[in-house]
Amino acid sequence: MAEARDVVRIPDAKVALSTASVYPESTATAFEIAARLGYDGVEVMVWTDPVSQDIEALRRLSDYHRIPVLAVHAPCLLITQRVWSTDPWTKLQRARAAAEKLGASTVVVHPPFRWQRQYARGFVEGVWRMANETDVRFAVENMYPWRYRDREMLAYAPDWDVTKEDYRHFTIDLSHASTSRTDALEMIDRMGDRLGHVHMADGRGSAKDEHLVPGRGDQPCAEVLRGLAARGFDGHVVIEVNTRRAMSSAEREADLAEALEFTRRHLSSAASAIEVPRR
């Protein structure tokens, strides 16, 4: 005879800290905090901090803190329009080169802004072409419509809902799902096996992208994490939260420790029962 017993599954996914999560502190501080709290690695947000743009500086930080760079977020924000060139394809090429040199498996990229018309017209095909030239995953991230009072502007092309297009890999961002008022679980179902990367954060459906610590909003963060563990998700789960309102470095670090504990706890929750011999 044998009896069923619940077991804790060791998750395949690594939990990383986005360097954006320590803003307004520096990229270097993100590596230090990630190492001290026990994160599995970092995702480098390439932005106006010169260190985030410098591959050798990032390599030195990674080596010094013994914390790997697992992903590179290409400079796709409004404030990074001049970072790594003004040409969006050059930005992606440099992000891919950075990922390859740093040993990162993923480049996160946003869909184009609607006013980047030429870039948008060839974006889907161009991302496929670049993905075919490397082992690095180009994981296109879901975004959201911009809202002001009762008005809505579609700021991204081909669409903020990236599941409407044929991309090889997706990034799901739960804060963006909240802002777009999209059911995150349904979006993950639409992404299917092409889901390659996760930005873990929470939200309350505000028109502003909130990036709350998971568990502080109304998104199904715990359910998403348990589902990832159950399916053997082998991508990265990246904590990308807003800590700008932290009153001190200690408060910021406490928020990031809470986010890590929440994520690891739900990734490692009891999995399906297995058969073990009865003594």
Side-chain angles (χ1 to χ4, degrees):
M1 290 290 293
E3 62 181 6
R5 180 184 299 170
D6 284 339
V7 296
V8 174
R9 178 179 185 140
I10 299 173
D12 298 311
K14 292 182 178 180
V15 182
L17 177 66
S18 168
T19 59
S21 296
V22 307
Y23 182 83
E25 296 196 61
S26 67
T27 300
T29 299
F31 276 84
E32 179 184 344
I33 291 175
R36 186 161 55 243
L37 294 180
Y39 278 83
D40 297 315
V42 299
E43 175 179 300
V44 174
M45 171 68 79
V46 180
W47 67 299
T48 55
D49 181 349
V51 171
S52 74
Q53 305 169 30
D54 186 331
I55 295 173
E56 290 308 313
L58 293 168
R59 195 197 310 277
R60 288 194 295 271
L61 284 169
S62 178
D63 290 345
Y64 179 78
H65 292 290
R66 297 183 181 179
I67 195 85
V69 177
L70 300 179
V72 174
H73 195 310
C76 305
L77 305 175
L78 286 172
I79 63 169
T80 61
Q81 290 185 81
R82 296 186 178 276
V83 172
W84 280 357
S85 168
T86 56
D87 177 63
W89 291 114
T90 300
K91 291 174 184 285
L92 294 194
Q93 289 164 0
R94 293 189 64 172
R96 179 186 66 190
E100 290 171 342
K101 291 176 181 177
L102 294 167
S105 64
T106 303
V107 167
V108 178
V109 58
H110 293 179
F113 291 113
R114 189 163 290 275
W115 54 85
Q116 295 175 300
R117 293 176 183 172
Q118 185 174 353
Y119 178 46
R121 277 196 296 270
F123 182 70
V124 178
E125 296 80 5
V127 169
W128 267 99
R129 184 175 61 252
M130 293 187 72
N132 287 332
E133 297 170 352
T134 180
D135 291 332
V136 174
R137 292 177 174 178
F138 279 86
V140 187
E141 183 173 5
N142 64 303
M143 298 305 291
Y144 47 84
W146 291 1
R147 294 189 180 93
Y148 179 71
R149 295 181 178 173
D150 59 345
R151 296 184 179 181
E152 183 175 289
M153 182 177 87
L154 301 179
Y156 299 96
D159 204 284
W160 60 263
D161 182 352
V162 293
T163 64
K164 293 182 178 180
E165 303 298 330
D166 179 27
Y167 298 112
R168 179 176 291 179
H169 291 108
F170 295 111
T171 296
I172 178 78
D173 183 305
L174 271 71
S175 179
H176 294 176
S178 175
T179 303
S180 66
R181 297 164 190 170
T182 300
D183 186 314
L185 294 171
E186 289 183 0
M187 178 169 275
I188 288 171
D189 283 344
R190 293 197 299 275
M191 291 178 173
D193 292 339
R194 292 182 291 170
L195 175 62
H197 201 69
V198 175
H199 281 169
M200 180 53 51
D202 215 331
R204 302 191 188 98
S206 169
K208 295 182 179 180
D209 187 19
E210 296 171 285
H211 282 275
L212 303 177
V213 171
R216 296 185 184 178
D218 57 17
Q219 289 300 290
C221 297
E223 191 172 353
V224 166
L225 290 166
R226 290 194 293 267
L228 293 174
R231 66 192 270 186
F233 177 71
D234 63 355
H236 305 316
V237 178
V238 178
I239 303 299
E240 190 181 80
V241 296
N242 184 345
T243 63
R244 293 176 215 176
R245 294 187 179 181
M247 301 301 292
S248 65
S249 295
E251 183 178 337
R252 174 172 292 109
E253 194 162 325
D255 284 346
L256 298 177
E258 179 184 331
L260 177 61
E261 188 280 330
F262 179 99
T263 301
R264 284 236 175 95
R265 172 161 43 91
H266 290 290
L267 275 175
S268 302
S269 59
S272 56
I274 63 170
E275 295 295 318
V276 297
R278 175 179 291 171
R279 295 184 182 277

